[in-house]
Amino acid sequence: MHVKKYLLKGLHRLQKGPGYTYKELLVWYCDNTNTHGPKRIICEGPKKKAMWFVLTLLFTSLVCWQWGLFIKTYLNWEVSVSLSIGFKTMDFPAVTICNASPFQYSKVQHLLKDLDELMEAVLERILGPELSQFNATRTLNLSIWHHTPLVFINEQNPHHPVVLDLFEDNFNGSASSSPAPGRPCSAHRCKVAMRLCSHNGTMCTFRNFSSATQAVTEWYTLQATNIFAQVPNQELVAMGYPAERLILACLFGAEPCNYRNFTPIFHPDYGNCYIFNWGMKEKALPSANPGPEFGLKLILDMGQEDYVPFLTSTAGARLMLHEQRSYPFIKEEGIYAMAGMETSIGVLVDKLQRKGKPYSQCTKNGSDVPIQNLYSSYNTTYSIQGCIRSCFQEHMIRECGCGHYLYPLPHKRKYCNNQEFPDWAHCYSALRISMAQREACIYACKESCNDTQYKMTISMAVWPSEASEDWIFHVLSQERDQSSNITLSRKGIVKLNIYFQEFNYRTIEESAANNIVWLLSNLGGQFGFWMGGSVLCLIEFGEIIIDFVWITIIKLVALAKSVRQKRAQARYEGPPPTVAELVEAHTNFGFQPDSTTPGPNSGAYPHEQNPPIPGTPPPNYDSLRLQPLDVIESDSEGDAI
């Protein structure tokens, strides 16, 4: 009850000033506001009132429209890009170098023997009988072939193409390497495609190629992937090119270096790769000055004579510049350096700084990305390339039941191979071209908020020259092989010069195009220009809104009380009782006085007069008067409000 009493008092005090009706409140607001326009509505004549009302309504609508546009623009979270140029001594980038061939053929030949023989027979069938170089008949291991064979597609009749297996003349576990006489197809008359089947050959698709070269290369790579996926990682590393044979000479600035200054890492596409200045265990090396004499100089031996003939068709070195502690995605971001050439690479640095949420979806460390980073085992920083590749491997495991050899493998999972997962090639091919998979990974992965990019200017020259070729190869052969004979050749030697062109670096930074100061300035400018208002005018408007709410609450309380009173009166069938009836109702007629017995105090009532019969006192008539709702006692005094 006390809470209700104080609430009603507070309600009346808050509402007491402007008035008790909506009309009184509006008149009070128009008469006291500092906004231009409303005062003229109540002060002018009828015609001017109408004119000022229309103008005020028009400009109010215009201000609200402009406010909506500015708020919408602000909530778009647009950014502006600023470019600044700085000058300082910078850390030399990490440099990753790989051989174009992942393995030495002399060490993997025993694994690829059956596949190479089958590849030679395939090439013979594609070239046709007129160009065949193999006349001897030999037995081929067709167990590899049956999983993913190459076929001819004869499209002389486009509406009814004919599919012909390259070894269709023999399906009994062996095939002759000599082509069948009178074959209806060859590479120049038919297209070569790869047949990918699943569910024991009941569901097949064909992957077409515009050239037989592309077809046999893709087919061989797929079959080699199946073989290498079953070999332990330690054996794969042993079959690659060791650092002491790959790196012949090294010089960083004026300091000599060697293969021990490189960190080895195994890359499925390029075998053993080596990273200079990775910064994992040691501090990053700074560059003293720009220019070739202060950069990194390398002489590499690619050992091209020991390349895998059908797996690698490119000769040279693959290299990449990247930040310290970042994983080198050299297949996607690397460049080639030609054998027999000196390649000079001038480097410029761009630093990218993106705004985070809500301006963009970039991430600082990848912790808010829903994809498990499979490259975290290398203890490297987050990158969108690693996220996309991890996402693909996740889809591969979910759809195909196994992981692809080219990507890291989650715990307790296996790489795909033909023995345990015979349908993996068909599943991988479908997933590889799936747009839904690409979009899902792009949507799930985020760019890094801070990134460093190295822009390269590349120039090349023949090295060594004919005049110096003899003595240079003699010295390098003596240093590596301790031989007086020349064991190196121009077709395997690569020289690299990597250096900063200048110490100027560019910082590309995103900043908010529309901040809160911009928003408030534009909102206030529009309000002041069209209506002559300010922040205080908005506070006044907020005050009248509160008064409107209080008046509404008061009216609702009064309405609820009147409804309760009407319900209480409806309980009586006739008219309400009169005062006399109420007095009679409060009189105790059942009271009987005691019999008169003289006693010690009998003198108080002479002549044996009976004492008055006690009864209920009459009611206080003032309590029956109806008081209005707004008449309440004051807190400190007994006066009405």
Side-chain angles (χ1 to χ4, degrees):
M1 293 299 294
H2 292 288
V3 175
K4 181 178 179 182
K5 178 181 177 181
Y6 291 130
L7 182 61
L8 289 174
K9 288 181 180 180
L11 187 66
H12 280 272
R13 286 179 176 175
L14 286 173
Q15 188 269 340
K16 189 174 181 180
Y20 287 93
T21 64
Y22 295 122
K23 182 178 180 181
E24 292 176 356
L25 186 61
L26 287 174
V27 172
W28 177 86
Y29 173 74
C30 293
D31 191 40
N32 291 277
T33 183
N34 292 316
T35 307
H36 302 326
K39 290 184 179 181
R40 306 298 296 270
I41 295 177
I42 64 173
C43 296
E44 301 293 344
K47 294 183 178 179
K48 288 190 175 181
K49 279 185 178 180
M51 181 189 69
W52 279 103
F53 177 78
V54 172
L55 289 176
T56 302
L57 184 62
L58 175 63
F59 290 140
T60 301
S61 302
L62 186 60
V63 168
C64 292
W65 175 61
Q66 290 290 328
W67 279 8
L69 292 180
F70 285 121
I71 293 175
K72 181 180 179 181
T73 303
Y74 175 75
L75 295 179
N76 286 335
W77 309 114
E78 297 176 351
V79 297
S80 59
V81 179
S82 60
L83 176 63
S84 59
I85 299 178
F87 179 84
K88 68 174 184 179
T89 301
M90 293 180 291
D91 290 335
F92 198 77
V95 180
T96 299
I97 57 172
C98 309
N99 201 322
S101 177
F103 304 108
Q104 300 178 77
Y105 188 57
S106 58
K107 295 185 178 181
V108 298
Q109 189 173 6
H110 66 285
L111 296 174
L112 303 177
K113 180 177 180 298
D114 292 341
L115 181 59
D116 289 345
E117 292 179 353
L118 188 59
M119 184 67 170
E120 293 173 356
V122 167
L123 292 176
E124 182 181 346
R125 294 297 180 107
I126 291 175
L127 293 174
E130 64 276 7
L131 297 179
S132 176
Q133 299 177 358
F134 299 94
N135 297 320
T137 300
R138 51 186 166 175
T139 301
L140 300 176
N141 182 5
L142 292 182
S143 60
I144 301 175
W145 179 260
H146 289 156
H147 282 93
T148 50
L150 291 173
V151 297
F152 281 126
I153 298 181
N154 190 340
E155 294 183 340
Q156 294 180 357
N157 185 355
H159 300 287
H160 299 283
V162 179
V163 178
L164 302 172
D165 194 291
L166 268 69
F167 297 116
E168 62 182 8
D169 55 323
N170 193 338
F171 293 98
N172 297 321
S174 64
S176 173
S177 63
S178 300
R183 288 185 59 86
C185 254
S186 60
H188 65 278
R189 291 195 298 266
C190 299
K191 290 184 178 180
V192 180
M194 188 188 306
R195 184 169 63 193
L196 303 166
C197 297
S198 63
H199 300 90
N200 295 323
T202 58
M203 182 184 299
C204 295
T205 59
F206 295 91
R207 186 180 175 192
N208 297 324
F209 298 91
S210 59
S211 171
T213 302
Q214 297 174 336
V216 295
T217 301
E218 288 288 328
W219 177 82
Y220 189 93
T221 302
L222 190 66
Q223 302 303 329
T225 298
N226 163 64
I227 295 173
F228 293 134
Q230 304 175 62
V231 179
N233 189 73
Q234 294 81 0
E235 295 184 19
L236 294 176
V237 172
M239 292 185 292
Y241 286 84
E244 56 270 21
R245 292 196 63 84
L246 179 67
I247 303 170
L248 299 180
C250 176
L251 186 67
F252 180 69
E255 298 293 330
C257 51
N258 55 39
Y259 68 91
R260 296 184 181 88
N261 300 111
F262 290 75
T263 303
I265 184 174
F266 182 79
H267 195 285
D269 286 295
Y270 297 101
N272 294 336
C273 296
Y274 303 95
I275 307 177
F276 178 79
N277 195 32
W278 201 8
M280 284 294 185
K281 299 179 180 179
E282 66 283 346
K283 187 177 179 180
L285 299 174
S287 180
N289 282 301
E293 62 273 20
F294 298 100
L296 177 66
K297 300 180 178 64
L298 294 172
I299 300 178
L300 309 176
D301 179 20
M302 298 295 100
Q304 188 178 161
E305 65 280 354
D306 205 14
Y307 273 25
V308 181
F310 299 122
L311 186 61
T312 305
S313 58
T314 303
R318 186 78 171 175
L319 64 105
M320 175 185 171
L321 309 183
H322 54 98
E323 286 186 279
Q324 278 75 27
R325 303 182 64 86
S326 64
Y327 186 87
F329 295 97
I330 195 166
K331 184 177 182 180
E332 293 81 6
E333 302 174 9
I335 61 172
Y336 278 113
M338 293 176 58
M341 306 289 287
E342 178 178 351
T343 303
S344 297
I345 302 175
V347 182
L348 295 175
V349 181
D350 286 347
K351 295 183 178 181
L352 305 180
Q353 299 177 3
R354 300 180 178 91
K355 291 282 289 183
K357 292 182 179 180
Y359 296 95
S360 69
Q361 297 299 319
C362 71
T363 179
K364 293 184 178 180
N365 54 15
S367 59
D368 54 344
V369 177
I371 303 298
Q372 179 188 359
N373 184 13
L374 300 180
Y375 293 88
S376 59
S377 59
Y378 294 95
N379 197 26
T380 54
T381 57
Y382 171 85
S383 67
I384 191 172
Q385 281 287 352
C387 179
I388 291 177
R389 294 164 72 93
S390 299
C391 180
F392 180 85
Q393 187 74 306
E394 181 180 302
H395 283 80
M396 184 79 182
I397 293 173
R398 183 169 61 248
E399 299 294 333
C400 308
C402 58
H404 197 276
Y405 164 74
L406 296 180
Y407 310 107
L409 200 63
H411 186 57
K412 295 183 179 180
R413 293 291 183 175
K414 292 184 177 181
Y415 281 126
C416 297
N417 59 79
N418 295 339
Q419 285 69 30
E420 297 181 81
F421 309 96
D423 298 339
W424 78 271
H426 178 272
C427 179
Y428 166 69
S429 180
L431 193 63
R432 184 181 179 184
I433 62 176
S434 172
M435 289 298 299
Q437 181 272 327
R438 297 181 190 178
E439 292 176 358
C441 290
I442 292 175
Y443 178 79
C445 294
K446 301 178 181 180
E447 290 185 308
S448 177
C449 290
N450 298 310
D451 194 10
T452 300
Q453 295 180 353
Y454 296 97
K455 306 296 183 182
M456 295 178 286
T457 302
I458 303 173
S459 60
M460 291 180 291
V462 175
W463 186 89
S465 64
E466 293 183 0
S468 58
E469 177 179 356
D470 185 65
W471 74 265
I472 288 178
F473 287 156
H474 264 104
V475 172
L476 292 176
S477 300
Q478 174 65 30
E479 290 177 344
R480 191 187 70 172
D481 301 323
Q482 289 79 40
S483 173
S484 58
N485 298 323
I486 296 178
T487 58
L488 301 173
S489 64
R490 179 184 298 275
K491 63 181 181 181
I493 291 296
V494 175
K495 185 176 182 182
L496 297 175
N497 295 327
I498 305 171
Y499 56 91
F500 282 122
Q501 283 185 300
E502 53 188 27
F503 274 173
N504 291 337
Y505 65 94
R506 300 188 304 176
T507 301
I508 303 173
E509 183 177 5
E510 291 182 350
S511 59
N514 306 314
N515 53 24
I516 191 65
V517 176
W518 173 89
L519 179 63
L520 294 177
S521 299
N522 283 279
L523 295 182
Q526 292 296 320
F527 190 40
F529 178 75
W530 294 109
M531 298 189 67
S534 62
V535 177
L536 295 178
C537 297
L538 296 177
I539 297 176
E540 291 175 354
F541 186 74
E543 180 186 8
I544 193 176
I545 294 297
I546 296 174
D547 291 334
F548 263 101
V549 173
W550 284 123
I551 291 178
T552 303
I553 294 175
I554 291 174
K555 290 184 177 294
L556 291 176
V557 171
L559 178 61
K561 187 171 183 180
S562 65
V563 170
R564 288 197 303 269
Q565 290 176 352
K566 289 181 180 180
R567 290 179 179 176
Q569 293 176 1
R571 298 175 184 175
Y572 299 97
E573 297 180 356
T578 62
V579 175
E581 291 174 345
L582 293 173
V583 172
E584 184 179 355
H586 284 79
T587 303
N588 189 358
F589 293 100
F591 176 77
Q592 298 296 331
D594 297 335
S595 59
T596 58
T597 303
N601 298 327
S602 59
Y605 301 99
H607 309 292
E608 298 182 357
Q609 183 180 1
N610 295 330
I613 299 173
T616 304
N620 183 5
Y621 296 110
D622 290 339
S623 64
L624 300 178
R625 295 178 183 175
L626 300 177
Q627 295 181 352
L629 179 64
D630 56 350
V631 179
I632 303 175
E633 292 183 356
S634 177
D635 290 338
S636 59
E637 298 178 358
D639 298 333
I641 296 178

